[in-house]
């Protein structure tokens, strides 16, 4: 049950990162687009981990999916997309730090523990 709660929380936090990152540059994604990206990224990361992949692959595999979906949903020039994606990653990282520290939620990929 804890894994399911962590999985849902990871999707919400990842989706919110994409949503807020896209709002900062006036390209705002609809919230449901952001949640589709969040679900895709987290599910792919969790699946990669469940298959026993090495940690570098678990981290690497979801990136292209998130990048592609953000580009397809925003439909903006590459430069603007890159700035939006970089902002999204920054917000994702800033979300990750307090969640890890205060709530022992060690990763936005639910089963991957940093400690």
């Amino acid at each position: 049950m804890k894994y399911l709660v962590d999985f849902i929380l990871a999707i919400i936090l990842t989706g919110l990162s994409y949503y807020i990152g896209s709002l900062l540059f006036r390209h705002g994604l609809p919230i449901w687009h952001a949640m589709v990206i969040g679900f895709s990224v987290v599910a792919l990361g969790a699946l990669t981990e469940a298959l026993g992949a090495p940690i570098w692959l678990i981290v690497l595999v979801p990136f292209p999916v998130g990048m592609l979906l953000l580009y397809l949903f925003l439909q903006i020039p590459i430069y603007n997309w890159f700035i939006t994606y970089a902002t999204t990653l920054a917000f994702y990282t800033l979300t990750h730090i307090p969640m890890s520290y205060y709530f022992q939620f060690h990763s936005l990929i639910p089963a991957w523990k940093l400690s």
Side-chain angles (χ1 to χ4, degrees), residues 53-83:
I55 196 68
W56 64 268
L57 193 58
I58 295 168
V59 172
L60 184 67
V61 166
F63 274 95
V65 172
M67 295 168 85
L68 178 64
L69 287 173
L70 183 66
Y71 182 74
L72 292 174
F73 286 149
L74 286 178
Q75 298 178 354
I76 57 175
I78 295 285
Y79 176 76
N80 293 342
W81 162 82
F82 180 76
I83 297 296

PDB file of all heavy atoms in Angstrom, residues 53-83:
ATOM      1  N   ALA A  53      17.112  -2.898 -13.701  1.00  0.00           N
ATOM      2  CA  ALA A  53      18.103  -2.128 -14.433  1.00  0.00           C
ATOM      3  C   ALA A  53      19.067  -1.435 -13.470  1.00  0.00           C
ATOM      4  O   ALA A  53      18.713  -1.156 -12.323  1.00  0.00           O
ATOM      5  CB  ALA A  53      17.412  -1.083 -15.310  1.00  0.00           C
ATOM      6  N   PRO A  54      20.268  -1.131 -13.933  1.00  0.00           N
ATOM      7  CA  PRO A  54      21.199  -0.387 -13.086  1.00  0.00           C
ATOM      8  C   PRO A  54      20.690   1.036 -12.850  1.00  0.00           C
ATOM      9  O   PRO A  54      19.888   1.551 -13.628  1.00  0.00           O
ATOM     10  CB  PRO A  54      22.509  -0.385 -13.878  1.00  0.00           C
ATOM     11  CG  PRO A  54      22.125  -0.710 -15.279  1.00  0.00           C
ATOM     12  CD  PRO A  54      20.839  -1.483 -15.214  1.00  0.00           C
ATOM     13  N   ILE A  55      21.180   1.655 -11.784  1.00  0.00           N
ATOM     14  CA  ILE A  55      20.671   2.954 -11.367  1.00  0.00           C
ATOM     15  C   ILE A  55      20.823   4.015 -12.458  1.00  0.00           C
ATOM     16  O   ILE A  55      19.938   4.844 -12.637  1.00  0.00           O
ATOM     17  CB  ILE A  55      21.330   3.397 -10.030  1.00  0.00           C
ATOM     18  CG1 ILE A  55      20.540   4.539  -9.404  1.00  0.00           C
ATOM     19  CG2 ILE A  55      22.758   3.793 -10.220  1.00  0.00           C
ATOM     20  CD1 ILE A  55      19.192   4.155  -8.924  1.00  0.00           C
ATOM     21  N   TRP A  56      21.914   4.003 -13.206  1.00  0.00           N
ATOM     22  CA  TRP A  56      22.095   5.011 -14.242  1.00  0.00           C
ATOM     23  C   TRP A  56      21.012   4.897 -15.314  1.00  0.00           C
ATOM     24  O   TRP A  56      20.558   5.897 -15.859  1.00  0.00           O
ATOM     25  CB  TRP A  56      23.497   4.941 -14.861  1.00  0.00           C
ATOM     26  CG  TRP A  56      23.786   3.661 -15.595  1.00  0.00           C
ATOM     27  CD1 TRP A  56      24.351   2.528 -15.099  1.00  0.00           C
ATOM     28  CD2 TRP A  56      23.502   3.397 -16.971  1.00  0.00           C
ATOM     29  NE1 TRP A  56      24.435   1.562 -16.072  1.00  0.00           N
ATOM     30  CE2 TRP A  56      23.930   2.073 -17.233  1.00  0.00           C
ATOM     31  CE3 TRP A  56      22.947   4.135 -18.010  1.00  0.00           C
ATOM     32  CZ2 TRP A  56      23.803   1.489 -18.486  1.00  0.00           C
ATOM     33  CZ3 TRP A  56      22.829   3.550 -19.259  1.00  0.00           C
ATOM     34  CH2 TRP A  56      23.248   2.242 -19.490  1.00  0.00           C
ATOM     35  N   LEU A  57      20.574   3.686 -15.605  1.00  0.00           N
ATOM     36  CA  LEU A  57      19.530   3.490 -16.610  1.00  0.00           C
ATOM     37  C   LEU A  57      18.157   3.891 -16.063  1.00  0.00           C
ATOM     38  O   LEU A  57      17.336   4.454 -16.790  1.00  0.00           O
ATOM     39  CB  LEU A  57      19.523   2.035 -17.073  1.00  0.00           C
ATOM     40  CG  LEU A  57      18.713   1.720 -18.325  1.00  0.00           C
ATOM     41  CD1 LEU A  57      19.197   2.558 -19.507  1.00  0.00           C
ATOM     42  CD2 LEU A  57      18.821   0.243 -18.664  1.00  0.00           C
ATOM     43  N   ILE A  58      17.935   3.629 -14.777  1.00  0.00           N
ATOM     44  CA  ILE A  58      16.676   4.031 -14.139  1.00  0.00           C
ATOM     45  C   ILE A  58      16.514   5.545 -14.201  1.00  0.00           C
ATOM     46  O   ILE A  58      15.432   6.058 -14.444  1.00  0.00           O
ATOM     47  CB  ILE A  58      16.621   3.535 -12.683  1.00  0.00           C
ATOM     48  CG1 ILE A  58      16.590   2.012 -12.631  1.00  0.00           C
ATOM     49  CG2 ILE A  58      15.411   4.121 -11.953  1.00  0.00           C
ATOM     50  CD1 ILE A  58      16.829   1.437 -11.253  1.00  0.00           C
ATOM     51  N   VAL A  59      17.607   6.260 -14.012  1.00  0.00           N
ATOM     52  CA  VAL A  59      17.573   7.718 -14.059  1.00  0.00           C
ATOM     53  C   VAL A  59      17.465   8.202 -15.508  1.00  0.00           C
ATOM     54  O   VAL A  59      16.731   9.147 -15.813  1.00  0.00           O
ATOM     55  CB  VAL A  59      18.827   8.310 -13.376  1.00  0.00           C
ATOM     56  CG1 VAL A  59      18.914   9.802 -13.595  1.00  0.00           C
ATOM     57  CG2 VAL A  59      18.821   7.967 -11.899  1.00  0.00           C
ATOM     58  N   LEU A  60      18.162   7.562 -16.415  1.00  0.00           N
ATOM     59  CA  LEU A  60      18.242   8.027 -17.797  1.00  0.00           C
ATOM     60  C   LEU A  60      16.984   7.758 -18.628  1.00  0.00           C
ATOM     61  O   LEU A  60      16.570   8.610 -19.420  1.00  0.00           O
ATOM     62  CB  LEU A  60      19.457   7.372 -18.473  1.00  0.00           C
ATOM     63  CG  LEU A  60      19.750   7.812 -19.897  1.00  0.00           C
ATOM     64  CD1 LEU A  60      20.181   9.265 -19.908  1.00  0.00           C
ATOM     65  CD2 LEU A  60      20.828   6.925 -20.500  1.00  0.00           C
ATOM     66  N   VAL A  61      16.372   6.621 -18.466  1.00  0.00           N
ATOM     67  CA  VAL A  61      15.265   6.196 -19.341  1.00  0.00           C
ATOM     68  C   VAL A  61      14.077   7.180 -19.356  1.00  0.00           C
ATOM     69  O   VAL A  61      13.558   7.494 -20.434  1.00  0.00           O
ATOM     70  CB  VAL A  61      14.807   4.761 -18.986  1.00  0.00           C
ATOM     71  CG1 VAL A  61      13.472   4.416 -19.605  1.00  0.00           C
ATOM     72  CG2 VAL A  61      15.861   3.762 -19.434  1.00  0.00           C
ATOM     73  N   PRO A  62      13.613   7.696 -18.223  1.00  0.00           N
ATOM     74  CA  PRO A  62      12.441   8.580 -18.278  1.00  0.00           C
ATOM     75  C   PRO A  62      12.684   9.948 -18.922  1.00  0.00           C
ATOM     76  O   PRO A  62      11.735  10.583 -19.393  1.00  0.00           O
ATOM     77  CB  PRO A  62      12.057   8.767 -16.805  1.00  0.00           C
ATOM     78  CG  PRO A  62      12.688   7.637 -16.088  1.00  0.00           C
ATOM     79  CD  PRO A  62      13.926   7.317 -16.844  1.00  0.00           C
ATOM     80  N   PHE A  63      13.934  10.410 -18.967  1.00  0.00           N
ATOM     81  CA  PHE A  63      14.207  11.747 -19.489  1.00  0.00           C
ATOM     82  C   PHE A  63      13.686  11.977 -20.906  1.00  0.00           C
ATOM     83  O   PHE A  63      12.985  12.958 -21.154  1.00  0.00           O
ATOM     84  CB  PHE A  63      15.707  12.066 -19.423  1.00  0.00           C
ATOM     85  CG  PHE A  63      16.128  12.621 -18.104  1.00  0.00           C
ATOM     86  CD1 PHE A  63      16.640  11.793 -17.135  1.00  0.00           C
ATOM     87  CD2 PHE A  63      16.000  13.973 -17.831  1.00  0.00           C
ATOM     88  CE1 PHE A  63      17.029  12.294 -15.909  1.00  0.00           C
ATOM     89  CE2 PHE A  63      16.386  14.492 -16.616  1.00  0.00           C
ATOM     90  CZ  PHE A  63      16.895  13.652 -15.644  1.00  0.00           C
ATOM     91  N   PRO A  64      14.009  11.118 -21.881  1.00  0.00           N
ATOM     92  CA  PRO A  64      13.532  11.390 -23.243  1.00  0.00           C
ATOM     93  C   PRO A  64      12.005  11.409 -23.355  1.00  0.00           C
ATOM     94  O   PRO A  64      11.445  12.174 -24.148  1.00  0.00           O
ATOM     95  CB  PRO A  64      14.121  10.263 -24.085  1.00  0.00           C
ATOM     96  CG  PRO A  64      15.108   9.569 -23.240  1.00  0.00           C
ATOM     97  CD  PRO A  64      14.872   9.950 -21.828  1.00  0.00           C
ATOM     98  N   VAL A  65      11.342  10.595 -22.564  1.00  0.00           N
ATOM     99  CA  VAL A  65       9.873  10.566 -22.614  1.00  0.00           C
ATOM    100  C   VAL A  65       9.300  11.894 -22.119  1.00  0.00           C
ATOM    101  O   VAL A  65       8.433  12.484 -22.759  1.00  0.00           O
ATOM    102  CB  VAL A  65       9.320   9.379 -21.785  1.00  0.00           C
ATOM    103  CG1 VAL A  65       7.813   9.451 -21.664  1.00  0.00           C
ATOM    104  CG2 VAL A  65       9.749   8.075 -22.402  1.00  0.00           C
ATOM    105  N   GLY A  66       9.798  12.377 -20.991  1.00  0.00           N
ATOM    106  CA  GLY A  66       9.347  13.666 -20.476  1.00  0.00           C
ATOM    107  C   GLY A  66       9.659  14.799 -21.429  1.00  0.00           C
ATOM    108  O   GLY A  66       8.835  15.693 -21.661  1.00  0.00           O
ATOM    109  N   MET A  67      10.844  14.755 -22.013  1.00  0.00           N
ATOM    110  CA  MET A  67      11.248  15.804 -22.949  1.00  0.00           C
ATOM    111  C   MET A  67      10.353  15.810 -24.188  1.00  0.00           C
ATOM    112  O   MET A  67       9.885  16.864 -24.625  1.00  0.00           O
ATOM    113  CB  MET A  67      12.707  15.600 -23.356  1.00  0.00           C
ATOM    114  CG  MET A  67      13.679  15.770 -22.218  1.00  0.00           C
ATOM    115  SD  MET A  67      15.332  15.189 -22.611  1.00  0.00           S
ATOM    116  CE  MET A  67      15.992  16.628 -23.415  1.00  0.00           C
ATOM    117  N   LEU A  68      10.115  14.635 -24.742  1.00  0.00           N
ATOM    118  CA  LEU A  68       9.300  14.530 -25.952  1.00  0.00           C
ATOM    119  C   LEU A  68       7.851  14.943 -25.691  1.00  0.00           C
ATOM    120  O   LEU A  68       7.262  15.711 -26.467  1.00  0.00           O
ATOM    121  CB  LEU A  68       9.348  13.103 -26.504  1.00  0.00           C
ATOM    122  CG  LEU A  68       8.496  12.860 -27.754  1.00  0.00           C
ATOM    123  CD1 LEU A  68       9.003  13.699 -28.921  1.00  0.00           C
ATOM    124  CD2 LEU A  68       8.486  11.389 -28.107  1.00  0.00           C
ATOM    125  N   LEU A  69       7.277  14.450 -24.609  1.00  0.00           N
ATOM    126  CA  LEU A  69       5.889  14.806 -24.307  1.00  0.00           C
ATOM    127  C   LEU A  69       5.744  16.301 -24.050  1.00  0.00           C
ATOM    128  O   LEU A  69       4.772  16.921 -24.513  1.00  0.00           O
ATOM    129  CB  LEU A  69       5.370  14.004 -23.117  1.00  0.00           C
ATOM    130  CG  LEU A  69       5.093  12.535 -23.380  1.00  0.00           C
ATOM    131  CD1 LEU A  69       4.740  11.811 -22.086  1.00  0.00           C
ATOM    132  CD2 LEU A  69       3.993  12.365 -24.418  1.00  0.00           C
ATOM    133  N   LEU A  70       6.697  16.900 -23.345  1.00  0.00           N
ATOM    134  CA  LEU A  70       6.638  18.342 -23.118  1.00  0.00           C
ATOM    135  C   LEU A  70       6.692  19.087 -24.445  1.00  0.00           C
ATOM    136  O   LEU A  70       5.918  20.012 -24.676  1.00  0.00           O
ATOM    137  CB  LEU A  70       7.789  18.791 -22.208  1.00  0.00           C
ATOM    138  CG  LEU A  70       7.797  20.276 -21.846  1.00  0.00           C
ATOM    139  CD1 LEU A  70       6.575  20.626 -20.989  1.00  0.00           C
ATOM    140  CD2 LEU A  70       9.081  20.647 -21.125  1.00  0.00           C
ATOM    141  N   TYR A  71       7.572  18.675 -25.331  1.00  0.00           N
ATOM    142  CA  TYR A  71       7.681  19.318 -26.648  1.00  0.00           C
ATOM    143  C   TYR A  71       6.385  19.160 -27.454  1.00  0.00           C
ATOM    144  O   TYR A  71       5.887  20.125 -28.040  1.00  0.00           O
ATOM    145  CB  TYR A  71       8.862  18.741 -27.424  1.00  0.00           C
ATOM    146  CG  TYR A  71       9.048  19.385 -28.762  1.00  0.00           C
ATOM    147  CD1 TYR A  71       9.568  20.668 -28.867  1.00  0.00           C
ATOM    148  CD2 TYR A  71       8.675  18.735 -29.931  1.00  0.00           C
ATOM    149  CE1 TYR A  71       9.715  21.275 -30.101  1.00  0.00           C
ATOM    150  CE2 TYR A  71       8.824  19.327 -31.164  1.00  0.00           C
ATOM    151  CZ  TYR A  71       9.345  20.606 -31.244  1.00  0.00           C
ATOM    152  OH  TYR A  71       9.488  21.210 -32.469  1.00  0.00           O
ATOM    153  N   LEU A  72       5.843  17.955 -27.457  1.00  0.00           N
ATOM    154  CA  LEU A  72       4.613  17.718 -28.225  1.00  0.00           C
ATOM    155  C   LEU A  72       3.423  18.489 -27.660  1.00  0.00           C
ATOM    156  O   LEU A  72       2.599  19.016 -28.417  1.00  0.00           O
ATOM    157  CB  LEU A  72       4.293  16.222 -28.259  1.00  0.00           C
ATOM    158  CG  LEU A  72       5.254  15.350 -29.055  1.00  0.00           C
ATOM    159  CD1 LEU A  72       4.914  13.878 -28.883  1.00  0.00           C
ATOM    160  CD2 LEU A  72       5.267  15.749 -30.518  1.00  0.00           C
ATOM    161  N   PHE A  73       3.316  18.570 -26.342  1.00  0.00           N
ATOM    162  CA  PHE A  73       2.188  19.271 -25.734  1.00  0.00           C
ATOM    163  C   PHE A  73       2.309  20.789 -25.867  1.00  0.00           C
ATOM    164  O   PHE A  73       1.315  21.472 -26.082  1.00  0.00           O
ATOM    165  CB  PHE A  73       2.034  18.902 -24.259  1.00  0.00           C
ATOM    166  CG  PHE A  73       1.465  17.530 -24.020  1.00  0.00           C
ATOM    167  CD1 PHE A  73       1.837  16.806 -22.906  1.00  0.00           C
ATOM    168  CD2 PHE A  73       0.559  16.954 -24.898  1.00  0.00           C
ATOM    169  CE1 PHE A  73       1.308  15.543 -22.664  1.00  0.00           C
ATOM    170  CE2 PHE A  73       0.026  15.703 -24.675  1.00  0.00           C
ATOM    171  CZ  PHE A  73       0.399  14.988 -23.555  1.00  0.00           C
ATOM    172  N   LEU A  74       3.525  21.325 -25.748  1.00  0.00           N
ATOM    173  CA  LEU A  74       3.691  22.775 -25.800  1.00  0.00           C
ATOM    174  C   LEU A  74       3.625  23.325 -27.219  1.00  0.00           C
ATOM    175  O   LEU A  74       3.139  24.430 -27.437  1.00  0.00           O
ATOM    176  CB  LEU A  74       5.023  23.190 -25.153  1.00  0.00           C
ATOM    177  CG  LEU A  74       5.087  23.127 -23.646  1.00  0.00           C
ATOM    178  CD1 LEU A  74       6.479  23.516 -23.173  1.00  0.00           C
ATOM    179  CD2 LEU A  74       4.051  24.054 -23.019  1.00  0.00           C
ATOM    180  N   GLN A  75       4.180  22.603 -28.171  1.00  0.00           N
ATOM    181  CA  GLN A  75       4.228  23.041 -29.563  1.00  0.00           C
ATOM    182  C   GLN A  75       4.813  24.448 -29.684  1.00  0.00           C
ATOM    183  O   GLN A  75       4.202  25.356 -30.254  1.00  0.00           O
ATOM    184  CB  GLN A  75       2.838  22.972 -30.201  1.00  0.00           C
ATOM    185  CG  GLN A  75       2.291  21.582 -30.233  1.00  0.00           C
ATOM    186  CD  GLN A  75       0.897  21.507 -30.807  1.00  0.00           C
ATOM    187  OE1 GLN A  75       0.267  22.515 -31.094  1.00  0.00           O
ATOM    188  NE2 GLN A  75       0.400  20.308 -30.969  1.00  0.00           N
ATOM    189  N   ILE A  76       6.015  24.597 -29.144  1.00  0.00           N
ATOM    190  CA  ILE A  76       6.728  25.873 -29.200  1.00  0.00           C
ATOM    191  C   ILE A  76       8.107  25.633 -29.803  1.00  0.00           C
ATOM    192  O   ILE A  76       8.540  24.482 -29.925  1.00  0.00           O
ATOM    193  CB  ILE A  76       6.853  26.513 -27.790  1.00  0.00           C
ATOM    194  CG1 ILE A  76       7.553  25.568 -26.820  1.00  0.00           C
ATOM    195  CG2 ILE A  76       5.485  26.921 -27.264  1.00  0.00           C
ATOM    196  CD1 ILE A  76       7.826  26.160 -25.440  1.00  0.00           C
ATOM    197  N   PRO A  77       8.817  26.706 -30.179  1.00  0.00           N
ATOM    198  CA  PRO A  77      10.168  26.530 -30.740  1.00  0.00           C
ATOM    199  C   PRO A  77      11.111  25.821 -29.760  1.00  0.00           C
ATOM    200  O   PRO A  77      10.941  25.896 -28.543  1.00  0.00           O
ATOM    201  CB  PRO A  77      10.635  27.969 -30.998  1.00  0.00           C
ATOM    202  CG  PRO A  77       9.369  28.766 -31.116  1.00  0.00           C
ATOM    203  CD  PRO A  77       8.371  28.088 -30.218  1.00  0.00           C
ATOM    204  N   ILE A  78      12.111  25.169 -30.325  1.00  0.00           N
ATOM    205  CA  ILE A  78      13.059  24.363 -29.545  1.00  0.00           C
ATOM    206  C   ILE A  78      13.697  25.176 -28.423  1.00  0.00           C
ATOM    207  O   ILE A  78      13.816  24.686 -27.302  1.00  0.00           O
ATOM    208  CB  ILE A  78      14.165  23.783 -30.463  1.00  0.00           C
ATOM    209  CG1 ILE A  78      13.576  22.802 -31.470  1.00  0.00           C
ATOM    210  CG2 ILE A  78      15.281  23.142 -29.655  1.00  0.00           C
ATOM    211  CD1 ILE A  78      13.196  21.475 -30.878  1.00  0.00           C
ATOM    212  N   TYR A  79      14.115  26.396 -28.685  1.00  0.00           N
ATOM    213  CA  TYR A  79      14.764  27.210 -27.652  1.00  0.00           C
ATOM    214  C   TYR A  79      13.832  27.428 -26.460  1.00  0.00           C
ATOM    215  O   TYR A  79      14.231  27.249 -25.310  1.00  0.00           O
ATOM    216  CB  TYR A  79      15.206  28.557 -28.239  1.00  0.00           C
ATOM    217  CG  TYR A  79      15.799  29.475 -27.196  1.00  0.00           C
ATOM    218  CD1 TYR A  79      17.086  29.260 -26.726  1.00  0.00           C
ATOM    219  CD2 TYR A  79      15.054  30.519 -26.667  1.00  0.00           C
ATOM    220  CE1 TYR A  79      17.632  30.079 -25.755  1.00  0.00           C
ATOM    221  CE2 TYR A  79      15.586  31.344 -25.691  1.00  0.00           C
ATOM    222  CZ  TYR A  79      16.878  31.116 -25.240  1.00  0.00           C
ATOM    223  OH  TYR A  79      17.402  31.925 -24.276  1.00  0.00           O
ATOM    224  N   ASN A  80      12.593  27.801 -26.733  1.00  0.00           N
ATOM    225  CA  ASN A  80      11.623  28.008 -25.646  1.00  0.00           C
ATOM    226  C   ASN A  80      11.334  26.707 -24.902  1.00  0.00           C
ATOM    227  O   ASN A  80      11.181  26.697 -23.684  1.00  0.00           O
ATOM    228  CB  ASN A  80      10.323  28.594 -26.181  1.00  0.00           C
ATOM    229  CG  ASN A  80      10.492  29.999 -26.693  1.00  0.00           C
ATOM    230  OD1 ASN A  80      11.469  30.668 -26.371  1.00  0.00           O
ATOM    231  ND2 ASN A  80       9.560  30.446 -27.502  1.00  0.00           N
ATOM    232  N   TRP A  81      11.256  25.620 -25.655  1.00  0.00           N
ATOM    233  CA  TRP A  81      11.039  24.316 -25.027  1.00  0.00           C
ATOM    234  C   TRP A  81      12.190  23.977 -24.096  1.00  0.00           C
ATOM    235  O   TRP A  81      11.979  23.504 -22.982  1.00  0.00           O
ATOM    236  CB  TRP A  81      10.889  23.230 -26.095  1.00  0.00           C
ATOM    237  CG  TRP A  81      11.081  21.865 -25.550  1.00  0.00           C
ATOM    238  CD1 TRP A  81      10.164  21.099 -24.905  1.00  0.00           C
ATOM    239  CD2 TRP A  81      12.296  21.107 -25.554  1.00  0.00           C
ATOM    240  NE1 TRP A  81      10.734  19.901 -24.516  1.00  0.00           N
ATOM    241  CE2 TRP A  81      12.038  19.892 -24.911  1.00  0.00           C
ATOM    242  CE3 TRP A  81      13.577  21.347 -26.061  1.00  0.00           C
ATOM    243  CZ2 TRP A  81      13.008  18.918 -24.752  1.00  0.00           C
ATOM    244  CZ3 TRP A  81      14.545  20.373 -25.893  1.00  0.00           C
ATOM    245  CH2 TRP A  81      14.246  19.165 -25.244  1.00  0.00           C
ATOM    246  N   PHE A  82      13.423  24.214 -24.547  1.00  0.00           N
ATOM    247  CA  PHE A  82      14.597  23.891 -23.728  1.00  0.00           C
ATOM    248  C   PHE A  82      14.600  24.697 -22.425  1.00  0.00           C
ATOM    249  O   PHE A  82      14.863  24.146 -21.357  1.00  0.00           O
ATOM    250  CB  PHE A  82      15.891  24.148 -24.510  1.00  0.00           C
ATOM    251  CG  PHE A  82      17.115  23.835 -23.706  1.00  0.00           C
ATOM    252  CD1 PHE A  82      17.501  22.517 -23.503  1.00  0.00           C
ATOM    253  CD2 PHE A  82      17.869  24.848 -23.140  1.00  0.00           C
ATOM    254  CE1 PHE A  82      18.618  22.217 -22.748  1.00  0.00           C
ATOM    255  CE2 PHE A  82      18.985  24.560 -22.380  1.00  0.00           C
ATOM    256  CZ  PHE A  82      19.368  23.243 -22.184  1.00  0.00           C
ATOM    257  N   ILE A  83      14.297  25.976 -22.503  1.00  0.00           N
ATOM    258  CA  ILE A  83      14.245  26.822 -21.300  1.00  0.00           C
ATOM    259  C   ILE A  83      13.149  26.308 -20.359  1.00  0.00           C
ATOM    260  O   ILE A  83      13.340  26.229 -19.143  1.00  0.00           O
ATOM    261  CB  ILE A  83      13.991  28.294 -21.674  1.00  0.00           C
ATOM    262  CG1 ILE A  83      15.152  28.838 -22.505  1.00  0.00           C
ATOM    263  CG2 ILE A  83      13.754  29.148 -20.444  1.00  0.00           C
ATOM    264  CD1 ILE A  83      16.479  28.882 -21.791  1.00  0.00           C
TER     265      ILE A  83
END
